[in-house]
Amino acid sequence: MIARRPFVALLAGAALAGLTGCISPPKHRYRFKMMIEVETPDGIRSGSSVYEVTAQDLQALLPDEADRKWSTKGEAVAVDLPDGVTLFALLKTGAMHGDMASLSMAALDPAFNNDVVESAERISTGHGIISPAIVKRSDYPMLVWFPDINDPRSVAQVDPGDLQKSFGAGYRLKAITVQVTDEPVSTGIEKRLDAIGFKPHAGLDPSLGVTASPTLAQQLGKDDFVWR
């Protein structure tokens, strides 16, 4: 019995290594393009942006400790409208988790039920998905514009159901769609933000103080426009 103890200890150590080993759960990754079409007095105007979603289960020794993580790379959609006006669709959304990942999953994956890892796997493999797909109104990204294109503090929210309130007669949001793609993640939004005087480190309005009712400009920052 004494002679067998090292062997038993070796087996126990191997079992523990199997539980705590460094083999990480697989990452599931996919890219999708979101396109926004707007009817204007001068015809249809559109803009699009490509995003990359990564999702992964986290390691856990016990089932009730299981967790998951996910992230999205990409930038706001910019739709150039007549008269030098630009409509922006931010990374902040009305989807389940308030982000672009869950917006895409809700539209592309009919089986999506809040498990972002399983949904990312289905979308990345093309299993049972719909592409292109229409984004539900309740999942829309936040839409904003800058009435004074030279003042980031002028940012104003746009009602997707009433673009005429912001831009005048003849404007209507036609559709927001998403589709799986292998195109590279979009870049370039920083130049647009620089042009309106947006300071990433300070947000749209750096004068934020202690207040119970911050303005929209005080609530929005770089992460709402771009995430690398």
Side-chain angles (χ1 to χ4, degrees):
M1 293 294 292
I2 294 176
R4 294 182 60 188
R5 284 178 181 172
F7 180 64
V8 172
L10 180 61
L11 289 178
L16 181 60
L19 289 174
T20 60
C22 59
I23 300 177
S24 299
K27 289 183 179 180
H28 305 291
R29 182 178 289 109
Y30 66 91
R31 292 178 184 172
F32 72 94
K33 175 188 286 188
M34 182 169 73
M35 175 174 286
I36 297 179
E37 295 180 287
V38 177
E39 291 182 359
T40 80
D42 293 344
I44 299 294
R45 297 292 179 91
S46 65
S48 64
S49 191
V50 175
Y51 308 86
E52 181 175 273
V53 176
T54 303
Q56 180 183 31
D57 285 316
L58 298 179
Q59 287 181 309
L61 292 178
L62 300 174
D64 59 359
E65 294 178 348
D67 202 354
R68 56 188 60 86
K69 66 177 180 179
W70 68 96
S71 62
T72 306
K73 295 179 181 179
E75 62 184 34
V77 174
V79 183
D80 291 320
L81 304 177
D83 302 319
V85 172
T86 302
L87 173 69
F88 293 92
L90 306 186
L91 304 185
K92 186 191 301 288
T93 79
M96 183 175 295
H97 297 291
D99 62 1
M100 292 300 300
S102 51
L103 176 151
S104 66
M105 292 175 184
L108 296 168
D109 179 16
F112 178 57
N113 64 349
N114 195 29
D115 191 321
V116 294
V117 177
E118 287 186 357
S119 185
E121 181 178 12
R122 285 191 292 269
I123 296 173
S124 65
T125 60
H127 180 69
I129 68 169
I130 299 172
S131 179
I134 297 174
V135 177
K136 295 188 301 183
R137 169 71 180 272
S138 59
D139 291 339
Y140 276 2
M142 177 183 284
L143 304 178
V144 302
W145 74 302
F146 296 89
D148 183 347
I149 196 60
N150 297 310
D151 184 3
R153 294 171 299 179
S154 71
V155 65
Q157 191 165 354
V158 175
D159 181 351
D162 187 8
L163 265 62
Q164 295 188 88
K165 182 178 180 181
S166 297
F167 306 125
Y171 286 84
R172 184 180 75 87
L173 180 60
K174 183 179 180 182
I176 299 181
T177 58
V178 292
Q179 66 181 66
V180 176
T181 183
D182 58 2
E183 296 179 33
V185 175
S186 298
T187 60
I189 195 74
E190 288 89 352
K191 292 182 179 179
R192 289 180 178 269
L193 298 178
D194 286 345
I196 63 173
F198 178 38
K199 306 299 182 184
H201 63 280
L204 293 179
D205 185 354
S207 65
L208 175 61
V210 178
T211 174
S213 55
T215 65
L216 180 60
Q218 291 171 334
Q219 296 177 56
L220 296 178
K222 181 181 180 181
D223 290 351
D224 297 304
F225 286 85
V226 59
W227 189 257
R228 301 296 182 204

